C-alpha cells in the first residue's frame, strides 16, 4: 500500500470531482471546432505518411560505352513520306544515313487524317526483269544485271533497283540529278509515288539507338550521301526550294519515362509558311537514374533545349555541311551529354516521425483550444461582474 501511495503521488494528471465542473456554450463550440481541426490535420498527416518522398542527388557520370535511345514522334505537315529521310551522326565518326529500321511512317492528308501506315523497311523491291547485261550483250547462261550508270566499283557490280543505284552513287560521292533518267527508279514507280503524294504530310515515329556521345540527327527531304567528310543531301530531283518544313513534335524523349519527367519539346509546333527554312534544336541531355520504392531502377535521361529557326535567304548550312553557301531545308536536333548525373530515389516516411507529428497535432490543438476557452470564459466572467456592479460602459 505504501508503494501504491507513492505512485499515486506521482500522478501528473490529478482528477477533479465532477461536482466542480462548469460547462459553457462557448466551450462546446471550441471543442467541436478543435476536434474538426484535429481530424483534418490527422488526415493530412496520414496522406503524407502513406505517400513517398523523392530525394535527388547530383553525382559525376562515370559510365562508359553505353548507348542512348532516342524516341520520337514527329509530324511534317507538307513533306511526303516517300522523300522524307532520317540521318544520325555523332562526334565519334559513326554515321547512319537514311535510317529505316524501327521506323514507322504514316501518310496524312492536309487535314491530318491518316491515309496509310507503313513500316519503313530496308532495301527496295527488285525488278523482275533486269534491264541489261554487262556490255549491252547477253552471252550464253549469263545473268542479267542492271546498270549502275557509271557508279559501279567493278564491272561485275549490278544495280537492279533504284535503291541500289542510289547506294552506288553514295559510295562514289555523287548526287543523282534526275531520277527520271534512272530506269530502275522509273520502273519501281518512285517518281510516280512522289507525284501521287504531292500535297501530303507525313507522321514518322519510332526510335534510334546511338552511341552515348554528342551528335545530331536530322529529318530532311531527300537521300543523304557522304563526300569527303561532308554529308550532303540529294534534293535536286525534288526542287528543294519548294519544301516547307513546318512540323509538330508530338514526342521526343531520350530514354524511358519515369514519374514526374517533363519533356520540353512534347507538343511543340513550328508552322512557318516559309519554303526552304531550317529548324535547329540544341539539346543538353542529363543522364538520370530513377529508383522507385521497390528498388526498381530506371536508367533514362532528361533534357533542356534551345530552338532556332533559319530562313533560306542569306543562310548557311549547319556545321555538318561546312563550306556550303546555301541552306538545306530540314529539322536538325543537336544533342550533347552533361557530365553530371541526377539520381532520384523514392523512400517511405518514417512511422516514428508520423507518430510524433500526430501527438504534436493532438497536444497542440488541445492546448491552444484550452487557452482560447479559458480566455473567453474569464472574459465573460469579468464582463458579467462589471455589469452587475454597474461599471460597464
Amino acid at each position: 500500500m505504501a508503494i501504491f501511495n507513492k505512485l499515486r503521488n506521482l500522478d501528473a494528471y490529478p482528477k477533479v470531482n465532477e461536482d466542480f465542473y462548469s460547462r459553457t456554450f462557448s466551450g462546446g463550440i471550441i471543442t467541436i471546432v478543435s476536434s474538426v481541426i484535429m481530424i483534418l490535420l490527422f488526415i493530412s498527416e496520414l496522406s503524407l505518411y502513406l505517400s513517398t518522398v523523392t530525394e535527388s542527388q547530383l553525382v559525376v557520370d562515370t559510365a562508359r560505352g553505353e548507348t542512348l535511345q532516342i524516341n520520337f514522334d514527329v509530324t511534317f505537315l507538307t513533306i511526303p513520306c516517300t522523300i522524307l529521310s532520317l540521318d544520325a551522326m555523332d562526334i565519334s565518326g559513326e554515321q547512319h544515313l537514311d535510317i529505316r529500321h524501327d521506323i514507322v511512317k504514316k501518310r496524312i492528308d492536309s487535314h491530318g487524317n491518316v491515309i496509310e501506315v507503313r513500316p519503313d523497311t530496308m532495301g527496295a523491291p527488285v525488278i523482275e526483269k533486269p534491264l541489261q547485261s554487262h556490255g549491252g550483250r547477253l552471252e550464253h547462261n549469263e545473268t542479267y544485271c542492271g546498270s549502275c550508270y557509271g557508279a559501279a566499283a567493278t564491272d561485275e557490280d549490278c544495280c537492279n533497283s533504284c535503291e541500289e543505284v542510289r547506294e552506288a552513287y553514295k559510295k562514289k560521292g555523287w548526287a543523282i540529278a534526275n531520277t527520271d533518267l534512272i530506269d530502275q527508279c522509273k520502273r519501281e514507280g518512285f517518281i510516280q509515288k512522289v507525284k501521287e503524294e504531292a500535297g501530303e504530310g507525313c507522321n514518322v515515329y519510332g526510335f534510334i539507338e546511338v552511341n552515348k556521345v554528342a551528335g545530331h540527327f536530322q529529318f530532311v527531304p531527300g537521300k543523304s550521301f557522304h563526300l569527303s567528310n561532308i554529308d550532303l543531301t540529294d534534293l535536286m530531283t525534288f526542287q528543294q526550294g519548294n519544301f516547307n518544313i513546318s512540323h509538330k513534335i508530338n514526342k521526343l524523349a531520350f530514354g524511358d519515362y519515369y514519374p514526374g519527367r517533363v519533356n520540353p519539346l512534347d507538343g511543340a509546333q513550328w508552322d512557318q509558311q516559309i519554303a526552304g527554312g531550317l529548324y535547329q534544336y540544341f539539346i543538353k541531355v542529363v543522364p538520370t537514374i530513377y529508383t522507385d520504392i521497390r528498388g526498381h531502377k530506371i536508367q533514362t535521361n532528361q533534357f533542356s533545349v534551345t530552338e532556332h529557326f533559319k530562313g533560306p535567304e542569306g543562310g548557311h548550312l549547319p556545321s555538318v555541311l561546312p563550306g556550303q553557301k546555301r541552306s538545306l531545308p530540314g529539322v536538325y536536333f543537336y544533342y550533347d551529354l552533361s557530365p553530371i548525373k541526377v539520381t532520384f530515389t523514392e523512400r517511405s516516411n518514417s512511422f516514428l516521425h508520423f507518430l510524433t507529428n500526430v501527438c504534436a497535432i493532438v497536444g497542440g490543438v488541445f492546448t491552444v483550444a484550452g487557452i482560447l476557452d479559458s480566455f473567453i470564459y474569464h472574459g465573460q466572467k469579468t464582463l458579467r461582474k462589471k455589469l452587475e456592479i454597474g461599471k460597464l460602459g
Side-chain angles (χ1 to χ4, degrees):
M1 293 299 295
I3 296 175
F4 288 159
N5 290 331
K6 289 181 179 180
L7 290 176
R8 189 180 296 111
N9 293 331
L10 294 176
D11 186 5
Y13 309 98
K15 311 305 182 290
V16 180
N17 194 301
E18 292 184 0
D19 295 339
F20 297 97
Y21 278 118
S22 177
R23 303 182 186 276
T24 62
F25 175 78
S26 61
I29 297 297
I30 292 175
T31 300
I32 294 174
V33 172
S34 61
S35 298
V36 172
I37 292 174
M38 278 192 286
I39 292 173
L40 293 177
L41 292 177
F42 173 78
I43 293 174
S44 175
E45 191 64 31
L46 181 62
S47 65
L48 289 176
Y49 169 69
L50 296 177
S51 63
T52 58
V53 177
T54 303
E55 296 180 342
S56 61
Q57 185 180 7
L58 299 178
V59 296
V60 177
D61 186 12
T62 58
R64 294 181 297 174
E66 295 183 349
T67 58
L68 184 66
Q69 180 173 306
I70 305 174
N71 306 302
F72 57 85
D73 183 350
V74 185
T75 299
F76 293 86
L77 307 179
T78 59
I79 304 297
C81 290
T82 298
I83 62 175
L84 187 62
S85 176
L86 170 63
D87 309 321
M89 309 161 197
D90 60 46
I91 60 174
S92 69
E94 186 168 332
Q95 303 181 37
H96 302 276
L97 302 180
D98 196 15
I99 299 172
R100 298 187 180 187
H101 51 82
D102 302 316
I103 305 297
V104 177
K105 292 181 179 178
K106 293 181 181 179
R107 292 172 55 193
I108 58 176
D109 60 20
S110 58
H111 302 288
N113 301 317
V114 178
I115 301 174
E116 180 188 8
V117 179
R118 65 190 184 200
D120 207 3
T121 55
M122 298 296 293
V126 178
I127 301 173
E128 294 181 1
K129 296 180 180 180
L131 302 172
Q132 67 179 46
S133 64
H134 291 302
R137 293 181 299 124
L138 176 62
E139 304 294 342
H140 182 65
N141 293 330
E142 182 181 6
T143 303
Y144 280 100
C145 179
S147 172
C148 294
Y149 298 90
T154 66
D155 291 339
E156 303 299 323
D157 287 346
C158 304
C159 296
N160 291 336
S161 68
C162 182
E163 186 64 25
E164 290 179 4
V165 175
R166 288 182 173 276
E167 290 297 326
Y169 268 60
K170 285 182 185 179
K171 293 177 181 178
K172 287 286 187 178
W174 300 347
I176 298 178
N178 189 354
T179 52
D180 286 330
L181 301 179
I182 308 299
D183 290 336
Q184 290 91 326
C185 297
K186 291 171 62 177
R187 295 184 65 178
E188 291 174 12
F190 179 78
I191 300 301
Q192 185 64 27
K193 285 183 180 179
V194 175
K195 293 179 180 179
E196 289 177 355
E197 296 181 11
E200 294 181 2
C202 184
N203 170 248
V204 53
Y205 64 91
F207 69 91
I208 56 176
E209 195 161 332
V210 297
N211 296 324
K212 196 175 180 181
V213 295
H216 80 277
F217 62 99
Q218 61 196 33
F219 295 92
V220 292
K223 302 293 181 179
S224 297
F225 63 98
H226 187 73
L227 174 62
S228 301
N229 296 322
I230 301 175
D231 297 292
L232 303 175
T233 304
D234 176 16
L235 292 176
M236 295 182 182
T237 307
F238 311 121
Q239 300 177 346
Q240 65 170 345
N242 295 332
F243 286 114
N244 181 350
I245 314 295
S246 296
H247 61 281
K248 179 180 180 181
I249 303 175
N250 304 304
K251 174 186 176 182
L252 180 67
F254 292 77
D256 297 329
Y257 173 81
Y258 67 87
R261 184 176 76 175
V262 177
N263 296 321
L265 283 179
D266 286 1
Q269 182 169 352
W270 279 86
D271 190 8
Q272 299 285 341
Q273 300 302 320
I274 302 176
L278 183 147
Y279 300 86
Q280 296 171 305
Y281 297 93
F282 300 92
I283 298 171
K284 176 66 72 172
V285 180
V286 181
T288 303
I289 296 180
Y290 192 94
T291 305
D292 61 23
I293 198 169
R294 293 180 295 274
H296 178 251
K297 287 188 177 182
I298 303 175
Q299 295 200 15
T300 181
N301 304 274
Q302 51 187 322
F303 67 93
S304 61
V305 62
T306 302
E307 305 173 9
H308 179 66
F309 171 73
K310 184 181 297 183
E313 65 283 349
H316 298 283
L317 295 177
S319 58
V320 293
L321 299 164
Q324 303 298 314
K325 298 298 184 182
R326 56 180 178 172
S327 297
L328 290 180
V331 180
Y332 297 81
F333 296 87
Y334 299 89
Y335 57 89
D336 194 7
L337 278 299
S338 170
I340 301 299
K341 179 187 295 184
V342 181
T343 62
F344 295 104
T345 305
E346 287 185 350
R347 65 171 182 83
S348 57
N349 291 294
S350 170
F351 177 75
L352 292 178
H353 187 267
F354 165 72
L355 192 60
T356 301
N357 288 346
V358 170
C359 293
I361 289 172
V362 174
V365 173
F366 184 81
T367 301
V368 172
I371 294 173
L372 181 62
D373 177 66
S374 177
F375 175 79
I376 294 175
Y377 173 73
H378 289 290
Q380 289 178 340
K381 189 175 180 181
T382 301
L383 290 175
R384 193 180 300 111
K385 286 183 178 180
K386 288 185 177 182
L387 184 62
E388 290 177 354
I389 62 178
K391 291 186 176 181
L392 188 64

